């Protein structure tokens, strides 16, 4: 593609991004989110109806992002954790699916206590979670719709722009590839007697300007999930180039909790958990490699700045 073609493609993408944010409903608690983000940064210097009854959803438990969030603070990072309401939470991997009902029981004095089998996991989850919050290492921001997610991602990116390459984005949220534009949604509940439902969806990733405008110098990582392992690496490579990511983590649906491939511009790193080690998670090994890559990226960026400053003297 020549320079003129690239410019037209970028203009088309910019138009899509502008259209998305112009039409999206505003965040209800934008002031509180802005305040929380501002304080946090300073400390560490798809629906089908508008009034939603039915929605088109994307399969995801949120395990990858939640598990990874536990390891990043241990590596010295502070984490802004954007999570879909109802999905997995950091420090809760050892708890049952419904911890509130399964981990607690009444005492004879009509009080509530932790059931013995879950005593240590609950103690560990609570202590590590509160420690991360108290140390300023974790800020949790919930979302429900793709409109909320992308607006909040935009706010986070703008807030972190000042720290340049020291910021990085780990885009583990399994946001649907498609969404129904807000202006195309029915305002009220769609009636089942009105016949078959036809929905025209737009591409969700076209609405993100993370690499081009919001945080152009941050280190960015996205994920590629496929059910066909034969096309997985090809699709990951394509996503790496199309969205200008620094790394794409390729995972196949059935083996995603056992192994992944880290795809960069010049190498492919196969990462897997050790099945012989009790409690070993693939996210631990993913984070280890990412920290190494991000550190090298920061060092290289700092070196470029120093060299540029030296040439101006």
């Amino acid at each position: 593609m020549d320079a003129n073609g690239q410019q037209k493609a970028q203009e088309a993408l910019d138009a899509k991004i502008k259209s998305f944010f112009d039409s999206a409903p505003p965040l209800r608690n934008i002031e509180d989110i802005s305040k929380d983000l501002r304080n946090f940064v300073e400390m560490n210097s798809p629906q089908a109806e508008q009034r939603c009854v039915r929605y088109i959803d994307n399969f995801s438990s949120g395990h990858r992002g939640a598990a990874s969030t536990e390891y990043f603070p241990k590596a010295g990072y502070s984490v802004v954790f954007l999570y879909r309401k109802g999905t997995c939470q950091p420090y809760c991997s050892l708890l049952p699916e419904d911890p509130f009902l399964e981990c607690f029981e009444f005492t004879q004095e009509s009080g509530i206590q932790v059931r013995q089998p879950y005593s240590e996991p609950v103690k560990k989850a609570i202590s590590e979670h509160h420690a991360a919050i108290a140390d300023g290492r974790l800020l949790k921001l919930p979302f429900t719709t793709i409109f909320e997610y992308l607006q909040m991602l935009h706010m986070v990116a703008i807030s972190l722009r000042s720290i340049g390459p020291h910021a990085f984005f780990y885009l583990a949220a399994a946001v649907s590839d498609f969404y129904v534009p807000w202006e195309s949604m029915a305002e009220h509940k769609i009636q089942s007697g009105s016949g078959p439902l036809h929905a025209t969806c737009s591409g969700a990733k076209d609405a993100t300007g993370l690499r081009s405008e919001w945080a152009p110098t941050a280190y960015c990582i996205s994920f590629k999930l496929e059910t066909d392992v034969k096309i997985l690496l090809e699709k990951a490579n394509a996503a790496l180039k199309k969205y200008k990511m620094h790394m794409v983590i390729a995972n196949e649906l059935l083996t995603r909790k056992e192994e992944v491939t880290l795809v960069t511009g010049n190498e492919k790193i196969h990462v897997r958990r050790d099945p012989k080690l009790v409690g070993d998670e693939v996210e631990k090994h993913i984070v280890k490699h990412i920290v190494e890559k991000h550190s090298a990226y920061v060092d290289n960026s700092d070196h470029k700045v120093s060299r540029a400053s030296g040439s101006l003297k």
Side-chain angles (χ1 to χ4, degrees):
M1 184 183 295
D2 59 20
N4 187 45
Q6 290 179 342
Q7 181 179 352
K8 289 183 177 180
Q10 185 61 50
E11 290 175 352
L13 176 59
D14 292 343
K16 288 184 179 180
I17 294 171
K18 185 177 186 302
S19 175
F20 178 90
F21 284 100
D22 286 347
S23 64
L27 288 172
R28 297 177 182 176
N29 55 340
I30 189 170
E31 297 292 338
D32 292 335
I33 295 173
S34 296
K35 180 181 178 182
D36 289 343
L37 277 172
R38 190 162 54 248
N39 292 339
F40 189 77
V41 172
E42 288 175 356
M43 184 187 305
N44 293 281
S45 235
Q47 284 169 234
E49 302 146 341
Q50 292 183 0
R51 301 179 185 181
C52 185
V53 177
R54 302 181 180 89
Y55 59 92
I56 303 169
D57 206 0
N58 196 42
F59 158 74
S60 176
S61 65
H63 176 270
R64 180 80 77 203
S68 299
T69 295
E70 298 180 26
Y71 294 106
F72 282 120
K74 295 176 182 177
Y77 287 85
S78 296
V79 180
V80 179
F81 181 60
L82 292 184
Y83 68 95
R84 171 83 175 270
K85 292 177 182 178
T87 56
C88 295
Q89 296 293 297
Y91 309 109
C92 295
S93 59
L94 297 180
L95 302 182
E97 187 173 339
D98 195 342
F100 182 76
L101 296 178
E102 295 184 43
C103 292
F104 299 93
E105 62 184 0
F106 285 110
T107 65
Q108 291 181 345
E109 296 77 22
S110 298
I112 295 178
Q113 66 181 13
V114 179
R115 295 175 60 199
Q116 188 56 41
Y118 299 112
S119 178
E120 286 304 314
V122 168
K123 181 180 178 180
K124 183 175 184 291
I126 292 175
S127 61
E128 291 187 353
H129 175 266
H130 284 285
I133 298 293
D135 293 343
R137 293 292 188 182
L138 178 62
L139 173 64
K140 297 167 64 176
L141 299 175
F143 69 89
T144 300
T145 70
I146 188 173
F147 303 103
E148 294 172 344
Y149 168 72
L150 287 176
Q151 288 181 85
M152 291 166 72
L153 180 62
H154 176 249
M155 293 172 67
V156 171
I158 297 302
S159 298
L160 297 178
R161 185 187 287 173
S162 61
I163 64 175
H166 294 270
F168 90 81
F169 291 82
Y170 186 73
L171 304 175
V175 178
S176 178
D177 288 339
F178 302 96
Y179 75 100
V180 179
W182 184 258
E183 67 272 14
S184 299
M185 293 181 187
E187 182 179 359
H188 299 287
K189 178 178 178 290
I190 298 172
Q191 300 302 312
S192 58
S194 59
L197 178 63
H198 299 280
T200 300
C201 299
S202 297
K205 289 185 174 64
D206 286 340
T208 60
L210 181 62
R211 287 288 290 121
S212 59
E213 295 182 20
W214 304 350
T217 60
Y219 193 78
C220 296
I221 301 169
S222 68
F223 286 74
K224 174 55 67 174
L225 175 69
E226 293 291 342
T227 57
D228 184 355
V229 69
K230 296 177 182 177
I231 65 171
L232 178 57
L233 294 183
E234 177 186 343
K235 299 282 282 187
N237 271 315
L240 190 77
K241 296 174 183 177
K242 181 176 181 180
Y243 302 112
K244 298 180 175 63
M245 293 288 117
H246 296 96
M247 178 188 294
V248 172
I249 300 180
N251 44 173
E252 192 268 329
L253 181 63
L254 296 180
T255 61
R256 68 192 186 282
K257 294 184 179 180
E258 304 295 324
E259 58 185 355
V260 301
T261 301
L262 313 184
V263 180
T264 68
N266 54 16
E267 62 182 331
K268 295 177 178 62
I269 305 171
H270 191 66
V271 178
R272 62 179 297 116
R273 75 176 190 88
D274 188 344
K276 297 178 182 178
L277 295 179
V278 177
D280 191 49
E281 296 181 299
V282 71
E283 286 80 15
K284 174 184 176 182
H285 305 284
I286 292 173
V287 170
K288 177 179 178 293
H289 283 285
I290 288 174
V291 169
E292 292 175 358
K293 295 296 182 184
H294 182 227
S295 296
Y297 175 76
V298 170
D299 290 342
N300 185 52
S301 298
D302 289 345
H303 179 67
K304 288 181 179 179
V305 171
S306 298
R307 191 167 54 187
S309 299
S311 65
L312 293 176
K313 293 179 180 179

